[in-house]
Amino acid sequence: MYSRIIGTGSYLPANVVTNAELATRVDTSDEWIRSRTGICQRHLAAPDQTSSMLAAEAAQRAMTAAGVTPEQIGLVIVATSTPDFIFPSTACLLQARLGIKRSPAFDVQAVCSGFVYALDIADKFVRSGSCSHALVVGAEVFSRILDWNDRGTCVLFGDGAGAVVLAASDKPGIHASVLHADGSHAGILSTPGQIRGGKVTGDPFLRMDGQAVFKFAVRVLDEVGREALAICNMRPADVDWLIPHQANVRILEATAKKLGIDPSHVVITVDRHANTSAASIPLALDLAVRDGRIKPGQKILLEGVGGGFTWGAALVEM
Ligand code: ACO
């Protein structure tokens, strides 16, 4: 028994903020942001839009593409670091929004690796026979945890959601999936605020050592990509499309170069979406499926890396 992706969907909030618009609010420039990150614009959620709302739009599109009804979904996982509430989980809120009854529903918190973590877990549920169809979503409103006075971080992120429906199949869809974490690197990327006594204590904004993150990300994306390929006895040349987490175009280019994958085989959305954390991989996947680049039978290497630190990869046949 295997699991296959049978439908993809995504959603971006309507409000597009260009680098030039950001430069009117913080001391930055279009040229600085483009040359260091490749980012040209980002979508930002409206004040009343939450992760579960973005997730519901993306999930609905994925379920329509898959041709499945809410009754068929036997598992809901949402990868997010920006949940609607402390609890209930965003997955439970999403489940109710979609009219899915009784299936298990829970969030996965692995920051920008969240989608590959959630996909791996869902694959194991489907392969074990626990459910025939699983909904896996990455949804984020990172704009809520950014310090809009910190030009070193606020220019890098955007909001959005992406989703896939997995179905049981006798043909392999997810060929291999590898996850890792190393909590000793927690300090280079974190949002260390806490809620205590009814108040937020500590720093509730995202903080990052950009250069340390850059070096770590490129190293582990190369290593974990090779690890996933080795499990399948595949080489980088067998990969039709590389979809790494969309943090920064220079990280994407360096990763592709290290892996020996031609840049023309990398799906890039960071220019238009910026970094949408757990949403970035399913957003990029959906975009490339819908614009016809990704075709049935092709092999896709998905790779995530994020706070924790966490990282992982999945080799998926569409
Ligand atoms: N606009 C203009 N100037 C800026 C900005 C900005 N938005 N941000 C920082 N600067 C300035 C700094 O103040 C500094 O000025 P100084 O030399 O006068 O002190 C100068 O630019 C260089 O700053 P650095 O932080 O050293 O810039 P760097 O070349 O490292 O680029 C960047 C920063 C783009 C964040 C880079 O480190 C990077 O790409 N890191 C990867 C991190 C990343 O993508 N994180 C995303 C989240 S993590 C994840 O998703 C896995």
Side-chain angles (χ1 to χ4, degrees), residues 28 32 36 112 151 157 189 208 210-211 213 245 248 275 305:
T28 188
W32 193 97
R36 303 284 175 124
C112 306
R151 66 180 183 173
F157 297 91
L189 179 61
M208 175 181 77
Q211 287 174 14
V213 169
H245 165 53
N248 179 316
N275 180 345
V305 57

Side-chain angles (χ1 to χ4, degrees), residues 228-239:
L229 287 168
I231 293 170
C232 317
N233 285 320
M234 289 185 200
R235 294 164 299 121
D238 298 321
V239 173

Side-chain angles (χ1 to χ4, degrees), residues 191-245:
T191 302
Q194 299 174 324
I195 292 181
R196 198 175 287 178
K199 292 198 177 79
V200 176
T201 63
D203 186 348
F205 295 120
L206 182 147
R207 302 297 176 198
M208 175 181 77
D209 175 345
Q211 287 174 14
V213 169
F214 195 108
K215 286 181 203 144
F216 192 94
V218 173
R219 178 172 64 78
V220 299
L221 288 173
D222 174 50
E223 286 172 5
V224 80
R226 289 181 189 281
E227 205 179 337
L229 287 168
I231 293 170
C232 317
N233 285 320
M234 289 185 200
R235 294 164 299 121
D238 298 321
V239 173
D240 294 294
W241 293 101
L242 174 66
I243 307 186
H245 165 53

